[in-house]
Amino acid sequence: MSGDIATIAQQLGAAVELTMNPAIPMEQRHQAFNQLEEFKENSPYGSQCGFHLVASSESPVVRHFGLKILEDVVKARWNTMVGEEKVFIKDSLMKLMSSGTGHLTVEHLFIKDALARIVVELVKREWPQQWPSLLQELDTLCRQGETQTELVMFVLLRLVEDVALLQTLEQTQRRKEIYSELTANMEQIFTFLLGLLEKHYGAYKASGNEEHCRVSMAIVNTFTALVEWVNIQHVMANEKYLLRCLSHLLSDPRLQLAAGECLLGIVGWKAGKMTERAQLLCLFETDMMVPLFA
C-alpha cells in the first residue's frame, strides 16, 4: 500500500504543479484542477497522501496542497472516520508540529498557518473529552525549540480567534465546551505564556537572535487575542506582571507595535464590571508611563 500511496501522491504533486504553471494551456490546467478536486472529495487515501505530500515534496505549493487535503479530510469525514485513522492523523500531525516544517526563519508563513489550522480543526473535535493531554503536549513541543514554539503560538491564536473572538465554530455546544475549557485553564495558559515570553525575550536581548524575537512576537500576539475577553484577574496577576512586561516591550523597536496592540486590547477590555475595569488605571502609574516617553 505504501507504494500505491507514493504513486498517487506523485501524481497529485504533478497535477498541482500543472495547475500553477502559466505556460500550460488553460484547458490542461483546468483538467488537472478537476482531478485534484475529485481526489479530495472521493479518495479513501486522503490522509495518507496528504501526509506523504507534506513530508516528501520540496515544492511549498505541493506541501500546502497536502495540508489542504488533511484539513478537508478532518472537516468532512472526522465524525464517520474509524478510530485507527483518527489516531493516525492525530499522531502524524503532532509529528509534523515537532519536525515536519523548516526552520521558523525559512519556512513559508502559509505552510505554518495551514498546519496550525489543521491542528485547531482537530482540537475543535477532540478537546477536552478525547484529547485531555493537549495542553501538556503543546508544552512539550515548546521545549523542543523556537520553531515548535512559534507553531504552538499559531495554534493557540487561531483556536482563541475561532472560539472566543470570531466565534466561527458553527456547533454552538462544542464552542461552549471549548470556551469553558479554555476559561478553566486560563491561569495555567497565562503562566505558560509568560514563562515563554520571559525565556525567549531574555534570549533575544542577550544575543539579538532573530528566532527568539519572532517567537516573542508570536507570544505577544497570542496574548492580544486573550486579553480582550479573559477575566481581568489573569491580566493583573503576579503584581501586574503582564502589564509590566508589555510596558517594557514598548521600548523595543521590533516588538513595540505588537506590545502596543496588546495594551490597546487590555484598555478596551469590557468583559467585566466597571469596578474591575478601574484596575486598569494602574497604567497611569509612573513606572508604567515611563516607557511611553523614553
Side-chain angles (χ1 to χ4, degrees):
M1 178 58 71
S2 60
D4 294 338
I5 296 299
T7 300
I8 297 172
Q10 185 177 12
Q11 294 170 351
L12 291 171
V16 171
E17 297 284 11
L18 197 66
T19 62
M20 301 300 293
N21 188 346
I24 301 297
M26 179 62 71
E27 183 177 350
Q28 287 182 248
R29 294 166 65 187
H30 186 66
Q31 289 174 351
F33 175 80
N34 288 338
Q35 176 188 344
L36 296 173
E37 290 300 304
E38 182 179 354
F39 175 86
K40 286 197 295 183
E41 292 177 8
N42 302 316
S43 176
Y45 305 121
S47 58
Q48 296 96 319
C49 288
F51 283 116
H52 193 280
L53 286 171
V54 176
S56 64
S57 177
E58 295 182 1
S59 166
V61 175
V62 173
R63 292 171 62 218
H64 185 266
F65 178 74
L67 292 169
K68 182 59 179 171
I69 291 176
L70 295 171
E71 182 183 358
D72 290 348
V73 166
V74 171
K75 284 183 173 180
R77 306 180 193 173
W78 190 261
N79 292 337
T80 59
M81 200 178 289
V82 297
E84 290 182 357
E85 187 170 8
K86 288 182 177 181
V87 172
F88 166 73
I89 291 176
K90 185 188 296 184
D91 290 348
S92 299
L93 275 178
M94 297 312 284
K95 288 178 182 177
L96 280 181
M97 289 282 290
S98 175
S99 57
T101 65
H103 191 269
L104 69 87
T105 58
V106 298
E107 184 60 270
H108 295 276
L109 179 60
F110 65 87
I111 295 290
K112 294 186 279 191
D113 183 65
L115 177 54
R117 192 162 57 238
I118 305 168
V119 176
V120 169
E121 289 301 328
L122 206 60
V123 172
K124 290 177 183 178
R125 288 156 177 80
E126 294 287 278
W127 188 62
Q129 292 89 343
Q130 306 302 322
W131 201 355
S133 62
L134 171 66
L135 295 179
Q136 181 58 50
E137 290 182 43
L138 295 181
D139 177 66
T140 300
L141 281 170
C142 288
R143 297 175 188 275
Q144 295 182 18
E146 295 79 37
T147 298
Q148 294 79 7
T149 303
E150 185 189 44
L151 286 172
V152 169
M153 293 304 106
F154 285 2
V155 168
L156 289 176
L157 174 60
R158 180 170 285 276
L159 177 63
V160 170
E161 287 179 339
D162 286 0
V163 173
L165 297 181
L166 305 178
Q167 300 185 11
T168 56
L169 185 54
E170 295 179 358
Q171 297 180 358
T172 304
Q173 183 58 36
R174 281 299 294 146
R175 190 184 74 80
K176 289 181 178 179
E177 290 172 356
I178 297 173
Y179 186 97
S180 176
E181 193 68 15
L182 281 171
T183 302
N185 287 280
M186 197 52 66
E187 182 177 355
Q188 175 187 348
I189 292 172
F190 262 65
T191 301
F192 168 62
L193 292 175
L194 282 169
L196 288 174
L197 182 59
E198 204 172 53
K199 171 186 174 182
H200 289 284
Y201 181 69
Y204 163 57
K205 294 307 290 183
S207 64
N209 191 293
E210 171 70 14
E211 292 92 332
H212 291 292
C213 180
R214 287 201 188 187
V215 173
S216 298
M217 187 174 298
I219 297 166
V220 174
N221 289 339
T222 304
F223 269 125
T224 302
L226 291 169
V227 295
E228 293 184 26
W229 59 275
V230 300
N231 192 305
I232 202 167
Q233 71 181 30
H234 301 299
V235 176
M236 298 295 173
N238 300 317
E239 299 182 346
K240 311 178 187 69
Y241 186 58
L242 174 60
L243 293 178
R244 297 181 189 282
C245 288
L246 294 171
S247 296
H248 178 75
L249 292 179
L250 291 174
S251 61
D252 189 297
R254 297 287 303 276
L255 297 170
Q256 59 187 192
L257 179 58
E261 289 178 345
C262 190
L263 284 167
L264 183 62
I266 292 172
V267 299
W269 182 83
K270 299 176 182 177
K273 300 177 181 178
M274 185 64 71
T275 53
E276 294 177 315
R277 293 180 64 189
Q279 298 178 67
L280 296 173
L281 292 174
C282 69
L283 289 168
F284 291 98
E285 295 173 1
T286 302
D287 59 339
M288 294 288 190
M289 293 292 288
V290 167
L292 291 175
F293 303 98

